[in-house]
Amino acid sequence: MSKTEIKWLDTPEKHDYPAAESYLSLIYDVQTVVTFIERLKQAPMTKFKAKDIFRASGLSLLGISNSRVERDRKKILDGQALSPLLLVRDTVNSKVVIADGYHRMCAVYGFEEDSNIPCKIC
């Protein structure tokens, strides 16, 4: 069985930042969120293995029964490029917050846990 190639956009899509802001607003105060979003916009692109991001986030893996994960799996199989993840280091709680891209992460992990995932992190 051949390995499925996962394609990535060079940078996050513009709508990823408002999505990250919405999610982060549930966890942090407004000024902290504004600071995180500005830092994410300025952060360089980097890569981390899917399994390491999952471990650092402490989140559960969603399966293909989730419609958004399934949508992203279909994109992968169709050869469409995915948007990189937006990550925030929460040093107080010793974890990484997946500010945007959780469903993409779950979809990618289902294909290859050692996949290097492009992301921005602050």
Side-chain angles (χ1 to χ4, degrees), residues 45-60:
M45 291 299 301
T46 189
K47 292 182 180 183
F48 293 100
K49 290 194 179 300
K51 65 183 180 185
D52 292 338
I53 296 170
F54 259 121
R55 288 175 55 210
S57 74
L59 295 172
S60 298

Side-chain angles (χ1 to χ4, degrees), residues 17 32 38 59 61 67 87 111 116:
Y17 293 100
T32 301
E38 287 306 312
L59 295 172
L61 180 65
S67 64
L87 308 175
F111 282 99
N116 281 313

Side-chain angles (χ1 to χ4, degrees), residues 5-116:
E5 180 184 0
I6 301 171
K7 297 179 182 175
W8 295 95
L9 298 173
D10 292 333
T11 59
E13 296 178 271
K14 289 187 194 245
H15 66 83
D16 292 340
Y17 293 100
E21 183 176 1
S22 176
Y23 177 72
L24 293 171
S25 294
L26 293 169
I27 305 170
Y28 303 103
D29 64 80
V30 173
Q31 187 53 51
T32 301
V33 172
V34 168
T35 300
F36 282 149
I37 296 300
E38 287 306 312
R39 288 174 57 198
L40 283 168
K41 287 179 179 177
Q42 299 302 318
M45 291 299 301
T46 189
K47 292 182 180 183
F48 293 100
K49 290 194 179 300
K51 65 183 180 185
D52 292 338
I53 296 170
F54 259 121
R55 288 175 55 210
S57 74
L59 295 172
S60 298
L61 180 65
L62 294 174
I64 59 171
S65 62
N66 180 280
S67 64
R68 294 186 59 111
V69 172
E70 183 57 30
R71 180 198 66 196
D72 288 332
R73 286 179 55 82
K74 184 171 177 3
K75 283 183 179 180
I76 292 167
L77 291 170
D78 290 345
Q80 295 179 38
L82 302 177
S83 186
L85 276 55
L86 298 176
L87 308 175
V88 173
R89 287 184 176 104
D90 182 342
T91 55
V92 172
N93 295 303
S94 300
K95 68 177 188 171
V96 168
V97 176
I98 302 175
D100 186 70
Y102 175 55
H103 295 94
R104 292 188 297 276
M105 164 65 73
C106 292
V108 169
Y109 190 93
F111 282 99
E112 177 56 56
E113 69 180 39
D114 284 324
S115 258
N116 281 313

